[in-house]
Amino acid sequence: MKKFFVFLLGILLLGGLFISCSGGEDEEEEYQLGYYQAGGKIYLAVPQKDKTLYIKIFRQEGTDNIYNIGEIIPTIINKSIAYTFEDELVSNAQTYKYLAVYYMLGDLFITDWTDEIKVLGSSFDTDPLPYVDVNAYFSFNSDNMRLTLNGGDIGFIDPETDSEDSSDSGTGTTDSSGTSSGTSSTDTSASTGKIKLFDDSTTASTGTETSSSTSSSTDSASSSGSDSSSASGTSSTGDSSAATTTTTSFYSNYSVNLCIKSASNSTLLRLTKKLHRNYTKDEFLVMDSALPNDFIGTPLSLVGAVYQKVDVYPQNVEDALIQYKCVHWSKPKKIKLLVDDKAAESFTVYRAASAESGYDYSAPVEAKTE
């Protein structure tokens, strides 16, 4: 029954484009995820597979919703036997399972879920989430196609209570909004422990793609709220009053993004060009410029604010020597929406959009209840 439930969730995750899946028990066992813990983080060993364009990493918490927490993108020169994916946006004593989806040329491969992994030693009491002020909401104006933030900040800190001292404390907890006062260890020299493979793995034989989405890359300015491009803007005081945190804090390499979902796709729009900066009142996105083309003329909803970080391997090498890239995402934090000054669940953009950009982010899959 449990395997059948996983199969149905896989169809939800991968519905839309009918493609064949690689199969066979031997291959399933060969490409199962390994894992270990160190310093309060979970490290996944993701096997290399020929002709892979990219790999999506999904995480489930107990029987709760499934979240797309990352993506692995190999380069042409990749020679890795396995990719390392680090999940540091975890909370102490929480239990997680992980699954990978390989997107290949004309093919698709889905691993089985790992065993449940209980986190030990994390600095966070709850999963780290973007800070969203309790009074914050986005308002969409259907005349000028602007999505404007009102009422408070979205980002990393509460500007009313945060201090530089607390952001550099080295250890700490998160409150219900996901605001952190500390950081977890980055020690990767601890024992790798046991690499666990499934004994009776099952892979969905076919699937359809509901989330072949795009999101902004780390160097994209198409949806930056801090510049003066056609896709974004600020009030006369919005940028100067933006709250910032110190560059040595836990989130120093993260940006804050807005996840938007249509009926079949989801995308991430980067809210701030500068890392480690809140998105503040009166900053806005010009949606007909910021959105991918296939999001125009269809009802859209706000999934929420999402942290994003991009790592490359090996680190500190020239771009031509990078073997693969890891994109990391937090769970989304909900934010309210008004359309033409009325509370709403969706909005529609009706103008030509710029070219698509970036990564393939899937919105969370809601757990089924009896």
Side-chain angles (χ1 to χ4, degrees):
M1 181 66 183
K2 183 180 292 185
K3 293 294 183 183
F4 180 70
F5 179 66
V6 171
F7 174 81
L8 292 180
L9 287 178
I11 294 299
L12 289 174
L13 285 168
L14 307 166
L17 176 64
F18 184 83
I19 5 185
S20 64
C21 280
S22 301
E25 292 185 3
D26 291 342
E27 186 175 26
E28 290 171 6
E29 293 180 2
E30 178 183 358
Y31 289 102
Q32 287 310 299
L33 303 180
Y35 59 82
Y36 68 94
Q37 288 195 64
K41 304 177 186 180
I42 294 175
Y43 294 86
L44 299 178
V46 183
Q48 187 272 345
K49 190 173 176 64
D50 289 342
K51 300 180 181 180
T52 296
L53 300 175
Y54 60 95
I55 306 166
K56 297 174 72 170
I57 306 298
F58 293 90
R59 186 178 78 193
Q60 184 177 23
E61 303 166 17
T63 58
D64 288 344
N65 299 342
I66 297 172
Y67 299 93
N68 183 190
I69 62 162
E71 186 171 307
I72 300 172
I73 307 170
T75 66
I76 295 175
I77 68 166
N78 173 62
K79 298 178 181 179
S80 302
I81 297 175
Y83 311 107
T84 299
F85 185 88
E86 173 189 279
D87 188 10
E88 64 179 357
L89 299 178
V90 294
S91 56
N92 199 42
Q94 178 63 271
T95 299
Y96 305 96
K97 296 190 295 185
Y98 296 85
L99 172 147
V101 180
Y102 290 72
Y103 292 78
M104 298 171 289
L105 292 172
D107 205 357
L108 187 72
F109 179 80
I110 310 171
T111 71
D112 207 343
W113 291 101
T114 66
D115 282 343
E116 291 185 340
I117 309 168
K118 187 174 183 179
V119 176
L120 301 174
S122 173
S123 298
F124 299 101
D125 290 338
T126 58
D127 289 350
L129 301 177
Y131 167 76
V132 175
D133 190 282
V134 292
N135 297 313
Y137 65 93
F138 274 108
S139 61
F140 179 71
N141 186 316
S142 58
D143 292 329
N144 59 21
M145 299 295 145
R146 288 185 177 182
L147 188 68
T148 304
L149 181 63
N150 300 271
D153 283 14
I154 296 176
F156 303 95
I157 60 170
D158 180 351
E160 301 297 325
T161 61
D162 186 81
S163 67
E164 292 189 0
D165 290 339
S166 65
S167 67
D168 282 338
S169 60
T171 58
T173 61
T174 54
D175 59 20
S176 59
S177 69
T179 305
S180 169
S181 62
T183 177
S184 60
S185 169
T186 57
D187 178 19
T188 59
S189 62
S191 171
T192 59
K194 179 180 180 181
I195 300 297
K196 171 66 179 176
L197 302 182
F198 263 81
D199 297 324
D200 56 348
S201 56
T202 302
T203 301
S205 59
T206 59
T208 51
E209 170 69 13
T210 60
S211 54
S212 58
S213 58
T214 58
S215 68
S216 57
S217 63
T218 54
D219 56 1
S220 171
S222 65
S223 59
S224 166
S226 59
D227 63 10
S228 57
S229 70
S230 61
S232 59
T234 65
S235 68
S236 59
T237 60
D239 197 53
S240 61
S241 63
T244 59
T245 59
T246 58
T247 56
T248 56
S249 77
F250 179 85
Y251 298 110
S252 60
N253 294 320
Y254 284 88
S255 62
V256 61
N257 300 258
L258 181 65
C259 180
I260 296 176
K261 187 178 184 299
S262 68
S264 57
N265 298 328
S266 55
T267 190
L268 285 173
L269 301 179
R270 183 160 174 177
L271 294 179
T272 54
K273 177 181 287 187
K274 297 178 181 178
L275 292 178
H276 234 215
R277 173 190 175 281
N278 280 8
Y279 200 67
T280 60
K281 180 181 177 182
D282 296 332
E283 292 192 84
F284 60 86
L285 296 170
V286 182
M287 298 304 287
D288 57 344
S289 297
L291 283 173
N293 290 327
D294 57 351
F295 280 69
I296 303 300
T298 186
L300 307 173
S301 59
L302 300 184
V303 175
V306 175
Y307 286 145
Q308 176 177 288
K309 182 179 76 167
V310 179
D311 291 328
V312 297
Y313 297 91
Q315 297 179 354
N316 302 319
V317 298
E318 297 179 4
D319 290 348
L321 300 178
I322 294 172
Q323 296 193 35
Y324 64 97
K325 177 190 297 184
C326 286
V327 186
H328 302 269
W329 293 306
S330 71
K331 293 162 47 177
K333 182 68 179 291
K334 291 287 291 183
I335 185 168
K336 293 174 285 189
L337 171 68
L338 270 64
V339 176
D340 297 329
D341 299 323
K342 296 181 180 179
E345 295 296 324
S346 64
F347 64 101
T348 305
V349 178
Y350 286 108
R351 294 179 185 173
S354 61
E356 300 180 14
S357 62
Y359 310 120
D360 184 3
Y361 175 84
S362 291
V365 176
E366 295 183 1
K368 300 296 182 182
T369 56
E370 296 295 336

mmCIF file of all heavy atoms in Angstrom, residues 131-170:
data_model
loop_
_atom_site.group_PDB
_atom_site.id
_atom_site.type_symbol
_atom_site.label_atom_id
_atom_site.label_comp_id
_atom_site.label_asym_id
_atom_site.label_seq_id
_atom_site.Cartn_x
_atom_site.Cartn_y
_atom_site.Cartn_z
ATOM 1 N N TYR A 131 11.919 34.707 6.370
ATOM 2 C CA TYR A 131 11.156 35.580 7.257
ATOM 3 C C TYR A 131 10.083 36.296 6.447
ATOM 4 O O TYR A 131 10.371 36.882 5.392
ATOM 5 C CB TYR A 131 12.075 36.611 7.917
ATOM 6 C CG TYR A 131 11.316 37.726 8.606
ATOM 7 C CD1 TYR A 131 10.702 37.513 9.835
ATOM 8 C CD2 TYR A 131 11.183 38.979 8.007
ATOM 9 C CE1 TYR A 131 9.990 38.514 10.465
ATOM 10 C CE2 TYR A 131 10.478 39.994 8.628
ATOM 11 C CZ TYR A 131 9.880 39.764 9.858
ATOM 12 O OH TYR A 131 9.164 40.754 10.468
ATOM 13 N N VAL A 132 8.831 36.240 6.910
ATOM 14 C CA VAL A 132 7.725 36.980 6.309
ATOM 15 C C VAL A 132 7.014 37.725 7.428
ATOM 16 O O VAL A 132 6.482 37.122 8.361
ATOM 17 C CB VAL A 132 6.727 36.045 5.586
ATOM 18 C CG1 VAL A 132 5.533 36.840 5.074
ATOM 19 C CG2 VAL A 132 7.412 35.321 4.422
ATOM 20 N N ASP A 133 7.035 39.059 7.362
ATOM 21 C CA ASP A 133 6.363 39.867 8.370
ATOM 22 C C ASP A 133 4.879 39.495 8.435
ATOM 23 O O ASP A 133 4.252 39.211 7.408
ATOM 24 C CB ASP A 133 6.523 41.351 8.016
ATOM 25 C CG ASP A 133 6.057 42.269 9.132
ATOM 26 O OD1 ASP A 133 4.824 42.449 9.274
ATOM 27 O OD2 ASP A 133 6.907 42.810 9.859
ATOM 28 N N VAL A 134 4.317 39.484 9.630
ATOM 29 C CA VAL A 134 2.918 39.075 9.798
ATOM 30 C C VAL A 134 1.961 40.009 9.051
ATOM 31 O O VAL A 134 0.840 39.618 8.708
ATOM 32 C CB VAL A 134 2.535 39.033 11.293
ATOM 33 C CG1 VAL A 134 3.267 37.920 12.006
ATOM 34 C CG2 VAL A 134 2.790 40.379 11.974
ATOM 35 N N ASN A 135 2.387 41.233 8.787
ATOM 36 C CA ASN A 135 1.540 42.189 8.074
ATOM 37 C C ASN A 135 1.842 42.257 6.579
ATOM 38 O O ASN A 135 1.229 43.036 5.847
ATOM 39 C CB ASN A 135 1.706 43.590 8.676
ATOM 40 C CG ASN A 135 1.261 43.655 10.123
ATOM 41 O OD1 ASN A 135 0.182 43.157 10.463
ATOM 42 N ND2 ASN A 135 2.081 44.234 10.982
ATOM 43 N N ALA A 136 2.808 41.468 6.119
ATOM 44 C CA ALA A 136 3.234 41.551 4.724
ATOM 45 C C ALA A 136 2.236 40.863 3.795
ATOM 46 O O ALA A 136 1.657 39.837 4.130
ATOM 47 C CB ALA A 136 4.612 40.930 4.562
ATOM 48 N N TYR A 137 2.048 41.437 2.625
ATOM 49 C CA TYR A 137 1.236 40.825 1.579
ATOM 50 C C TYR A 137 1.639 41.409 0.231
ATOM 51 O O TYR A 137 2.190 42.512 0.149
ATOM 52 C CB TYR A 137 -0.261 41.051 1.817
ATOM 53 C CG TYR A 137 -0.697 42.502 1.747
ATOM 54 C CD1 TYR A 137 -1.178 43.051 0.546
ATOM 55 C CD2 TYR A 137 -0.624 43.332 2.858
ATOM 56 C CE1 TYR A 137 -1.572 44.384 0.475
ATOM 57 C CE2 TYR A 137 -1.015 44.664 2.795
ATOM 58 C CZ TYR A 137 -1.485 45.186 1.598
ATOM 59 O OH TYR A 137 -1.873 46.507 1.527
ATOM 60 N N PHE A 138 1.409 40.640 -0.832
ATOM 61 C CA PHE A 138 1.624 41.136 -2.185
ATOM 62 C C PHE A 138 0.296 41.612 -2.760
ATOM 63 O O PHE A 138 -0.740 40.962 -2.577
ATOM 64 C CB PHE A 138 2.195 40.041 -3.098
ATOM 65 C CG PHE A 138 3.688 39.923 -3.045
ATOM 66 C CD1 PHE A 138 4.282 38.849 -2.414
ATOM 67 C CD2 PHE A 138 4.496 40.892 -3.635
ATOM 68 C CE1 PHE A 138 5.667 38.730 -2.375
ATOM 69 C CE2 PHE A 138 5.875 40.790 -3.597
ATOM 70 C CZ PHE A 138 6.467 39.709 -2.960
ATOM 71 N N SER A 139 0.334 42.733 -3.465
ATOM 72 C CA SER A 139 -0.840 43.227 -4.173
ATOM 73 C C SER A 139 -0.539 43.272 -5.666
ATOM 74 O O SER A 139 0.524 43.748 -6.079
ATOM 75 C CB SER A 139 -1.239 44.620 -3.675
ATOM 76 O OG SER A 139 -0.193 45.553 -3.901
ATOM 77 N N PHE A 140 -1.457 42.738 -6.457
ATOM 78 C CA PHE A 140 -1.281 42.725 -7.917
ATOM 79 C C PHE A 140 -2.222 43.735 -8.541
ATOM 80 O O PHE A 140 -3.421 43.746 -8.271
ATOM 81 C CB PHE A 140 -1.570 41.328 -8.477
ATOM 82 C CG PHE A 140 -1.436 41.257 -9.974
ATOM 83 C CD1 PHE A 140 -0.183 41.341 -10.575
ATOM 84 C CD2 PHE A 140 -2.557 41.108 -10.787
ATOM 85 C CE1 PHE A 140 -0.050 41.278 -11.961
ATOM 86 C CE2 PHE A 140 -2.426 41.042 -12.159
ATOM 87 C CZ PHE A 140 -1.173 41.129 -12.740
ATOM 88 N N ASN A 141 -1.653 44.598 -9.394
ATOM 89 C CA ASN A 141 -2.426 45.609 -10.112
ATOM 90 C C ASN A 141 -2.576 45.145 -11.558
ATOM 91 O O ASN A 141 -1.590 45.055 -12.288
ATOM 92 C CB ASN A 141 -1.703 46.957 -10.047
ATOM 93 C CG ASN A 141 -2.521 48.087 -10.650
ATOM 94 O OD1 ASN A 141 -3.118 47.949 -11.711
ATOM 95 N ND2 ASN A 141 -2.542 49.220 -9.957
ATOM 96 N N SER A 142 -3.791 44.838 -11.963
ATOM 97 C CA SER A 142 -4.016 44.293 -13.302
ATOM 98 C C SER A 142 -3.869 45.336 -14.403
ATOM 99 O O SER A 142 -3.837 44.974 -15.584
ATOM 100 C CB SER A 142 -5.408 43.651 -13.378
ATOM 101 O OG SER A 142 -6.411 44.592 -13.050
ATOM 102 N N ASP A 143 -3.769 46.606 -14.046
ATOM 103 C CA ASP A 143 -3.560 47.651 -15.052
ATOM 104 C C ASP A 143 -2.095 47.752 -15.466
ATOM 105 O O ASP A 143 -1.777 47.829 -16.652
ATOM 106 C CB ASP A 143 -4.046 49.007 -14.542
ATOM 107 C CG ASP A 143 -5.559 49.066 -14.396
ATOM 108 O OD1 ASP A 143 -6.257 48.384 -15.184
ATOM 109 O OD2 ASP A 143 -6.044 49.773 -13.496
ATOM 110 N N ASN A 144 -1.197 47.767 -14.488
ATOM 111 C CA ASN A 144 0.231 47.899 -14.824
ATOM 112 C C ASN A 144 1.021 46.605 -14.640
ATOM 113 O O ASN A 144 2.227 46.580 -14.838
ATOM 114 C CB ASN A 144 0.878 49.030 -14.014
ATOM 115 C CG ASN A 144 0.769 48.816 -12.509
ATOM 116 O OD1 ASN A 144 0.579 47.689 -12.037
ATOM 117 N ND2 ASN A 144 0.875 49.901 -11.748
ATOM 118 N N MET A 145 0.341 45.522 -14.248
ATOM 119 C CA MET A 145 0.951 44.196 -14.100
ATOM 120 C C MET A 145 2.041 44.165 -13.032
ATOM 121 O O MET A 145 2.939 43.330 -13.090
ATOM 122 C CB MET A 145 1.525 43.692 -15.434
ATOM 123 C CG MET A 145 0.501 43.535 -16.516
ATOM 124 S SD MET A 145 -0.719 42.245 -16.135
ATOM 125 C CE MET A 145 -2.195 42.939 -16.865
ATOM 126 N N ARG A 146 1.936 45.031 -12.048
ATOM 127 C CA ARG A 146 2.924 45.047 -10.976
ATOM 128 C C ARG A 146 2.458 44.219 -9.782
ATOM 129 O O ARG A 146 1.306 44.308 -9.359
ATOM 130 C CB ARG A 146 3.203 46.477 -10.516
ATOM 131 C CG ARG A 146 3.997 47.298 -11.504
ATOM 132 C CD ARG A 146 4.328 48.669 -10.926
ATOM 133 N NE ARG A 146 5.147 49.452 -11.839
ATOM 134 C CZ ARG A 146 5.607 50.665 -11.578
ATOM 135 N NH1 ARG A 146 5.334 51.233 -10.405
ATOM 136 N NH2 ARG A 146 6.342 51.308 -12.465
ATOM 137 N N LEU A 147 3.393 43.446 -9.227
ATOM 138 C CA LEU A 147 3.168 42.711 -7.992
ATOM 139 C C LEU A 147 4.010 43.404 -6.924
ATOM 140 O O LEU A 147 5.240 43.314 -6.939
ATOM 141 C CB LEU A 147 3.582 41.254 -8.151
ATOM 142 C CG LEU A 147 3.245 40.305 -6.999
ATOM 143 C CD1 LEU A 147 1.732 40.098 -6.895
ATOM 144 C CD2 LEU A 147 3.943 38.958 -7.174
ATOM 145 N N THR A 148 3.348 44.098 -6.007
ATOM 146 C CA THR A 148 4.025 44.985 -5.058
ATOM 147 C C THR A 148 3.916 44.438 -3.643
ATOM 148 O O THR A 148 2.858 43.966 -3.224
ATOM 149 C CB THR A 148 3.410 46.394 -5.105
ATOM 150 O OG1 THR A 148 3.466 46.885 -6.448
ATOM 151 C CG2 THR A 148 4.154 47.345 -4.183
ATOM 152 N N LEU A 149 5.024 44.516 -2.894
ATOM 153 C CA LEU A 149 5.021 44.092 -1.499
ATOM 154 C C LEU A 149 4.526 45.232 -0.615
ATOM 155 O O LEU A 149 4.968 46.372 -0.745
ATOM 156 C CB LEU A 149 6.429 43.681 -1.067
ATOM 157 C CG LEU A 149 6.561 43.186 0.376
ATOM 158 C CD1 LEU A 149 5.747 41.914 0.601
ATOM 159 C CD2 LEU A 149 8.027 42.945 0.726
ATOM 160 N N ASN A 150 3.636 44.891 0.301
ATOM 161 C CA ASN A 150 3.076 45.869 1.231
ATOM 162 C C ASN A 150 3.154 45.339 2.652
ATOM 163 O O ASN A 150 3.182 44.130 2.878
ATOM 164 C CB ASN A 150 1.601 46.146 0.895
ATOM 165 C CG ASN A 150 1.402 46.685 -0.491
ATOM 166 O OD1 ASN A 150 1.433 47.873 -0.735
ATOM 167 N ND2 ASN A 150 1.186 45.781 -1.449
ATOM 168 N N GLY A 151 3.171 46.246 3.615
ATOM 169 C CA GLY A 151 2.960 45.899 5.007
ATOM 170 C C GLY A 151 4.158 45.433 5.799
ATOM 171 O O GLY A 151 4.131 45.461 7.029
ATOM 172 N N GLY A 152 5.239 44.987 5.160
ATOM 173 C CA GLY A 152 6.391 44.507 5.907
ATOM 174 C C GLY A 152 7.379 43.791 5.001
ATOM 175 O O GLY A 152 7.173 43.666 3.795
ATOM 176 N N ASP A 153 8.455 43.307 5.598
ATOM 177 C CA ASP A 153 9.554 42.692 4.857
ATOM 178 C C ASP A 153 9.333 41.216 4.563
ATOM 179 O O ASP A 153 8.589 40.522 5.253
ATOM 180 C CB ASP A 153 10.857 42.795 5.665
ATOM 181 C CG ASP A 153 11.466 44.181 5.609
ATOM 182 O OD1 ASP A 153 10.764 45.119 5.186
ATOM 183 O OD2 ASP A 153 12.632 44.323 5.997
ATOM 184 N N ILE A 154 10.039 40.747 3.524
ATOM 185 C CA ILE A 154 10.253 39.321 3.266
ATOM 186 C C ILE A 154 11.759 39.140 3.162
ATOM 187 O O ILE A 154 12.438 39.953 2.554
ATOM 188 C CB ILE A 154 9.604 38.878 1.945
ATOM 189 C CG1 ILE A 154 8.095 39.017 2.003
ATOM 190 C CG2 ILE A 154 9.977 37.432 1.616
ATOM 191 C CD1 ILE A 154 7.420 38.683 0.691
ATOM 192 N N GLY A 155 12.291 38.095 3.757
ATOM 193 C CA GLY A 155 13.720 37.897 3.609
ATOM 194 C C GLY A 155 14.341 37.057 4.691
ATOM 195 O O GLY A 155 13.924 35.932 4.939
ATOM 196 N N PHE A 156 15.325 37.649 5.371
ATOM 197 C CA PHE A 156 16.164 36.892 6.294
ATOM 198 C C PHE A 156 15.924 37.237 7.758
ATOM 199 O O PHE A 156 16.099 36.402 8.627
ATOM 200 C CB PHE A 156 17.638 37.131 5.958
ATOM 201 C CG PHE A 156 17.975 36.779 4.544
ATOM 202 C CD1 PHE A 156 17.976 37.744 3.558
ATOM 203 C CD2 PHE A 156 18.276 35.478 4.194
ATOM 204 C CE1 PHE A 156 18.283 37.423 2.249
ATOM 205 C CE2 PHE A 156 18.575 35.142 2.887
ATOM 206 C CZ PHE A 156 18.574 36.126 1.907
ATOM 207 N N ILE A 157 15.554 38.474 8.041
ATOM 208 C CA ILE A 157 15.475 38.924 9.430
ATOM 209 C C ILE A 157 14.258 39.785 9.656
ATOM 210 O O ILE A 157 13.677 40.341 8.729
ATOM 211 C CB ILE A 157 16.731 39.742 9.818
ATOM 212 C CG1 ILE A 157 16.857 40.971 8.906
ATOM 213 C CG2 ILE A 157 17.977 38.894 9.783
ATOM 214 C CD1 ILE A 157 17.893 41.971 9.342
ATOM 215 N N ASP A 158 13.878 39.888 10.927
ATOM 216 C CA ASP A 158 12.912 40.895 11.356
ATOM 217 C C ASP A 158 13.694 42.173 11.632
ATOM 218 O O ASP A 158 14.461 42.224 12.596
ATOM 219 C CB ASP A 158 12.193 40.420 12.616
ATOM 220 C CG ASP A 158 11.165 41.430 13.117
ATOM 221 O OD1 ASP A 158 11.133 42.556 12.594
ATOM 222 O OD2 ASP A 158 10.421 41.082 14.043
ATOM 223 N N PRO A 159 13.560 43.223 10.811
ATOM 224 C CA PRO A 159 14.376 44.422 10.993
ATOM 225 C C PRO A 159 14.121 45.144 12.308
ATOM 226 O O PRO A 159 14.954 45.931 12.754
ATOM 227 C CB PRO A 159 13.986 45.295 9.791
ATOM 228 C CG PRO A 159 12.639 44.804 9.379
ATOM 229 C CD PRO A 159 12.641 43.345 9.678
ATOM 230 N N GLU A 160 12.990 44.851 12.956
ATOM 231 C CA GLU A 160 12.673 45.516 14.217
ATOM 232 C C GLU A 160 13.393 44.894 15.406
ATOM 233 O O GLU A 160 13.607 45.544 16.418
ATOM 234 C CB GLU A 160 11.156 45.470 14.466
ATOM 235 C CG GLU A 160 10.326 46.137 13.384
ATOM 236 C CD GLU A 160 10.622 47.619 13.293
ATOM 237 O OE1 GLU A 160 10.874 48.237 14.349
ATOM 238 O OE2 GLU A 160 10.602 48.161 12.173
ATOM 239 N N THR A 161 13.769 43.603 15.284
ATOM 240 C CA THR A 161 14.329 42.906 16.445
ATOM 241 C C THR A 161 15.719 42.357 16.229
ATOM 242 O O THR A 161 16.414 42.040 17.183
ATOM 243 C CB THR A 161 13.422 41.722 16.849
ATOM 244 O OG1 THR A 161 13.354 40.799 15.763
ATOM 245 C CG2 THR A 161 12.017 42.210 17.170
ATOM 246 N N ASP A 162 16.167 42.210 14.979
ATOM 247 C CA ASP A 162 17.447 41.565 14.722
ATOM 248 C C ASP A 162 18.608 42.500 15.010
ATOM 249 O O ASP A 162 18.520 43.708 14.849
ATOM 250 C CB ASP A 162 17.534 41.107 13.264
ATOM 251 C CG ASP A 162 18.788 40.297 13.006
ATOM 252 O OD1 ASP A 162 18.764 39.101 13.332
ATOM 253 O OD2 ASP A 162 19.765 40.859 12.506
ATOM 254 N N SER A 163 19.722 41.926 15.433
ATOM 255 C CA SER A 163 20.956 42.684 15.624
ATOM 256 C C SER A 163 22.097 41.931 14.988
ATOM 257 O O SER A 163 22.033 40.726 14.802
ATOM 258 C CB SER A 163 21.255 42.890 17.114
ATOM 259 O OG SER A 163 21.566 41.658 17.718
ATOM 260 N N GLU A 164 23.184 42.611 14.643
ATOM 261 C CA GLU A 164 24.329 41.956 14.044
ATOM 262 C C GLU A 164 24.949 40.940 14.991
ATOM 263 O O GLU A 164 25.435 39.904 14.580
ATOM 264 C CB GLU A 164 25.380 42.992 13.635
ATOM 265 C CG GLU A 164 24.928 43.880 12.480
ATOM 266 C CD GLU A 164 26.047 44.741 11.953
ATOM 267 O OE1 GLU A 164 27.158 44.631 12.507
ATOM 268 O OE2 GLU A 164 25.830 45.512 11.005
ATOM 269 N N ASP A 165 24.904 41.231 16.298
ATOM 270 C CA ASP A 165 25.488 40.300 17.261
ATOM 271 C C ASP A 165 24.781 38.955 17.224
ATOM 272 O O ASP A 165 25.406 37.904 17.250
ATOM 273 C CB ASP A 165 25.415 40.891 18.673
ATOM 274 C CG ASP A 165 26.363 42.071 18.841
ATOM 275 O OD1 ASP A 165 27.319 42.160 18.030
ATOM 276 O OD2 ASP A 165 26.147 42.864 19.757
ATOM 277 N N SER A 166 23.434 38.994 17.166
ATOM 278 C CA SER A 166 22.697 37.738 17.207
ATOM 279 C C SER A 166 22.874 36.948 15.928
ATOM 280 O O SER A 166 22.859 35.722 15.938
ATOM 281 C CB SER A 166 21.200 37.998 17.432
ATOM 282 O OG SER A 166 20.643 38.697 16.337
ATOM 283 N N SER A 167 23.067 37.609 14.785
ATOM 284 C CA SER A 167 23.195 36.877 13.533
ATOM 285 C C SER A 167 24.531 36.180 13.403
ATOM 286 O O SER A 167 24.707 35.323 12.559
ATOM 287 C CB SER A 167 23.011 37.838 12.341
ATOM 288 O OG SER A 167 24.081 38.757 12.293
ATOM 289 N N ASP A 168 25.484 36.526 14.268
ATOM 290 C CA ASP A 168 26.802 35.913 14.198
ATOM 291 C C ASP A 168 27.075 34.979 15.372
ATOM 292 O O ASP A 168 28.217 34.633 15.640
ATOM 293 C CB ASP A 168 27.885 36.996 14.191
ATOM 294 C CG ASP A 168 28.032 37.640 12.827
ATOM 295 O OD1 ASP A 168 27.644 37.025 11.827
ATOM 296 O OD2 ASP A 168 28.533 38.749 12.784
ATOM 297 N N SER A 169 26.047 34.557 16.075
ATOM 298 C CA SER A 169 26.247 33.866 17.341
ATOM 299 C C SER A 169 26.839 32.466 17.193
ATOM 300 O O SER A 169 27.352 31.920 18.143
ATOM 301 C CB SER A 169 24.912 33.757 18.086
ATOM 302 O OG SER A 169 23.985 33.041 17.319
ATOM 303 N N GLY A 170 26.694 31.850 16.019
ATOM 304 C CA GLY A 170 27.298 30.537 15.802
ATOM 305 C C GLY A 170 26.400 29.382 16.155
ATOM 306 O O GLY A 170 26.477 28.326 15.558
#
